[in-house]
Amino acid sequence: ELSDVWAFGCVVYEMCALKHPFDARNQAALLIKILRGQYAPISGIYSDDLRDLIDGCMRRDWTKRIKLPDLLDTASVRGWAQ
């Protein structure tokens, strides 16, 4: 479940930024970037709610990552689903 939430955050990031959150020249460098969990923020044209959603999904520490029921219960996700 938590890896699905992380993957959802990556997809939403890509939809906003039109690029991968983690990009590297080879697999080893990509792995290091993913493990560090550092990615460029999405553009300021997007809402704080959306940025918080992405950050919550892509937290490196899985124990602090947003849980699926909490993700689905956020006002922004409920609004997008309607």
Side-chain angles (χ1 to χ4, degrees):
E1 171 186 317
L2 293 173
S3 62
D4 292 341
V5 169
W6 185 84
F8 175 74
C10 289
V11 170
V12 174
Y13 180 97
E14 288 183 32
M15 290 171 41
C16 296
L18 301 177
K19 64 179 185 174
H20 301 297
F22 308 102
D23 197 19
R25 293 180 183 252
N26 59 57
Q27 293 290 78
L30 179 62
L31 178 61
I32 290 169
K33 286 187 176 187
I34 291 171
L35 290 174
R36 287 185 181 152
Q38 296 174 335
Y39 52 91
I42 60 171
S43 171
I45 64 170
Y46 295 104
S47 69
D48 289 339
D49 286 344
L50 183 57
R51 278 186 283 222
D52 291 344
L53 177 94
I54 291 169
D55 290 342
C57 289
M58 294 178 56
R59 288 202 176 117
R60 188 175 152 273
D61 183 350
W62 65 271
T63 63
K64 296 180 181 173
R65 194 172 301 148
I66 189 168
K67 308 295 185 274
L68 185 57
D70 299 330
L71 171 67
L72 296 175
D73 196 40
T74 60
S76 53
V77 171
R78 284 182 296 162
W80 298 325
Q82 292 180 348

